[in-house]
Amino acid sequence: MKHFYNTLFLNNRFFYFLGGISILFVVGFFIPVFFDISKVLLFILVVLVLVDIFILYNIKNAITVNRYLPERLSNGDVNKISMQLQNLYGFNAHLSIIEEIPFQFQKRDFIFNLILSNKEEKTIHYDLIPTKRGVYLFGNINIYACSPLQLATKKYILGTEKEVKCYPSFLKLRDFDFRAFNNDAISYGTKKVRRIGHSLEFEQIKEYVSGDDIRSLNWKATAKRNQLMINQYVEEKSQPVYSIIDKGRAMQMHFNNLSLLDYAINATLAISNVILRKQDKAGMLSFSTKLEDWVVAEKRSSQISLISEALHNIKTDFSESDFSTLYAVVKRKITHRSLLILYTNFETMDGLKRQLPYLRALAKNHLVLVVFFENTELEALTTSKSEDVLGVYDSIIAEKFMYEKKSIVKELKKYGIQSVLTKPENLTGDTINKYLDLKSRGLF
């Protein structure tokens, strides 16, 4: 009985009819004929409500639903969710479906209204765009069912709670794969440069033949065999590439509901996939006051899974990033020359100069690529029309900060440090293009 009371609701239509009958009762005090009509109408209304309740509760589980969730959510991307409903009533059911989506989306009115005919099945599709990594809890599905009379409503609490983890953006990996392996995309605007010399990866000692590089003569083997012997080398195809994510407070600015840290994490997963497809070794690490989430650069099949798990757990402590610790640990642990893709953010030249000694030190043994961000909000200020003196001041200051960003690129180039200055939404594509450019030029 308690369940019955908790699931039964009277609709607005019932109260509208009841209000109209009440008015007739009042009129009936002055005109007796309306009093008798009111009693008849009230009796009919009560009977119809009882009939409506009976047909709603006559079948125990008349509405069924199956919710189909992805195994994991992709951060910053459109994730498709679907619900399959079936009506087992013998009449057209008017349904209002309230989906208990995770609180992170902050949607309190996530309601679907539809009509299902007898024995009809229907699938509802909707999209969700998460903007935070973590665990998302999907609750129950609340369905309010009415008969064609629409005087009473029965509430169904269906579905089961399910937790789904949100990982860095993986849905776009295939798109970036296509870009990375499309010949036009690679060659357009990129000059192919032939490498001079050879790598230091030794293969074998063989007899000298005409045309071999005499600089590779092995004099010890020549003396031992009494004929010219030469060291043979092979081109080293698998180069280590590390994505280094600054998770300090400089990366906590938000653009389009995603923080710079999340943009960097999404880009790291995408470029790691391209790196592995290009037969290089992909690795990553993050840092603020210390180095964490270290994944050694390898070329194994499980590498993307390891990187994805490490990226999923990255969180910030909002502290000032310590580049000296980054340099010390990288110098000790990464002994082979590698491409270091550093995702960070410099707003001013002073901010760069504080960290420049450590970047220059890293660049002595590795190829360093600094990836930082344009402030699109400042760009909007410079392009908007100023209506007063304060607006002119804002526009001038915004242009000054934008100029400093471009000065940072020139300052890094002066010391042989590669850089990418990009808008947050273009980060992944621009970083992949830069990696392909550096690889085609043989710089690492």
Side-chain angles (χ1 to χ4, degrees), residues 35 64-65 72 78 156 170 243 251 253 255-256 263 265 283 296 316 321 366 388 392 432 440:
F35 189 80
T64 61
V65 63
R72 52 183 183 168
V78 176
Y156 290 87
F170 58 85
S243 297
M251 296 289 282
M253 295 177 65
F255 295 91
N256 298 325
Y263 280 112
I265 288 170
V296 178
T316 182
S321 299
H366 305 281
D388 51 22
V392 174
I432 290 175
S440 68

Side-chain angles (χ1 to χ4, degrees), residues 381-394:
L381 276 177
T382 59
T383 55
S384 61
K385 185 178 180 180
S386 302
E387 298 181 354
D388 51 22
V389 176
L390 183 60
V392 174
Y393 288 159
D394 289 340

Side-chain angles (χ1 to χ4, degrees), residues 112-340:
F112 301 96
N113 296 305
L114 71 155
I115 300 175
L116 283 182
S117 59
N118 180 24
K119 308 299 181 183
E120 181 185 1
E121 289 186 6
K122 192 169 186 178
T123 302
I124 297 174
H125 301 280
Y126 63 92
D127 299 330
L128 293 177
I129 304 177
T131 56
K132 294 181 181 179
R133 288 166 291 112
V135 178
Y136 286 67
L137 176 63
F138 286 82
N140 298 315
I141 302 173
N142 301 284
I143 300 180
Y144 296 86
C146 302
S147 73
L149 294 174
Q150 298 187 53
L151 295 174
T153 296
K154 180 181 179 181
K155 179 183 178 181
Y156 290 87
I157 302 177
L158 304 175
T160 55
E161 293 186 350
K162 185 176 181 181
E163 290 184 346
V164 181
K165 290 184 178 180
C166 181
Y167 282 83
S169 175
F170 58 85
L171 291 179
K172 294 180 180 177
L173 292 185
R174 186 174 299 178
D175 296 337
F176 290 115
D177 271 354
F178 176 78
R179 178 184 298 184
F181 291 90
N182 182 304
N183 291 331
D184 295 336
I186 296 172
S187 61
Y188 181 77
T190 301
K191 181 181 178 181
K192 301 292 184 180
V193 179
R194 183 173 62 89
R195 296 193 189 194
I196 305 300
H198 53 256
S199 72
L200 299 179
E201 188 171 341
F202 176 78
E203 183 183 29
Q204 63 176 350
I205 300 174
K206 71 177 189 72
E207 294 182 5
Y208 174 82
V209 295
S210 179
D212 285 338
D213 189 351
I214 61 173
R215 291 174 298 179
S216 299
L217 284 171
N218 188 320
W219 294 109
K220 288 185 178 180
T222 298
K224 193 177 293 185
R225 294 287 298 272
N226 200 27
Q227 61 177 337
L228 291 175
M229 304 296 291
I230 193 168
N231 292 333
Q232 187 176 39
Y233 300 88
V234 294
E235 184 180 355
E236 198 170 4
K237 294 182 179 179
S238 298
Q239 301 292 336
V241 181
Y242 282 91
S243 297
I244 303 175
I245 300 174
D246 179 359
K247 57 181 184 180
R249 63 182 177 216
M251 296 289 282
Q252 296 312 304
M253 295 177 65
H254 279 69
F255 295 91
N256 298 325
N257 298 320
L258 279 180
S259 68
L260 296 183
L261 178 63
D262 282 312
Y263 280 112
I265 288 170
N266 291 344
T268 296
L269 183 62
I271 198 170
S272 297
N273 185 57
V274 173
I275 288 166
L276 292 172
R277 294 287 301 276
K278 284 292 187 180
Q279 303 303 312
D280 283 332
K281 301 175 183 177
M284 60 82 56
L285 59 124
S286 64
F287 78 101
S288 57
T289 56
K290 59 182 180 179
L291 264 68
E292 297 175 308
D293 309 299
W294 185 287
V295 178
V296 178
E298 295 289 350
K299 199 175 63 172
R300 53 195 168 195
S301 58
S302 62
Q303 192 71 358
I304 275 293
S305 297
L306 292 174
I307 292 174
S308 180
E309 285 296 330
L311 292 172
H312 173 258
N313 296 319
I314 290 181
K315 296 179 181 178
T316 182
D317 53 7
F318 295 95
S319 58
E320 186 72 25
S321 299
D322 187 354
F323 279 72
S324 63
T325 300
L326 172 65
Y327 166 70
V329 177
V330 167
K331 182 177 177 61
R332 186 174 69 251
K333 288 192 173 185
I334 306 179
T335 56
H336 195 286
R337 178 174 169 82
S338 307
L339 170 61
L340 306 181

Side-chain angles (χ1 to χ4, degrees), residues 351-369:
L352 170 67
K353 288 184 176 179
R354 287 197 298 270
Q355 314 301 345
L356 191 56
Y358 306 112
L359 296 177
R360 292 178 62 186
L362 286 172
K364 289 181 180 179
N365 300 314
H366 305 281
L367 178 62
V368 178
L369 171 60

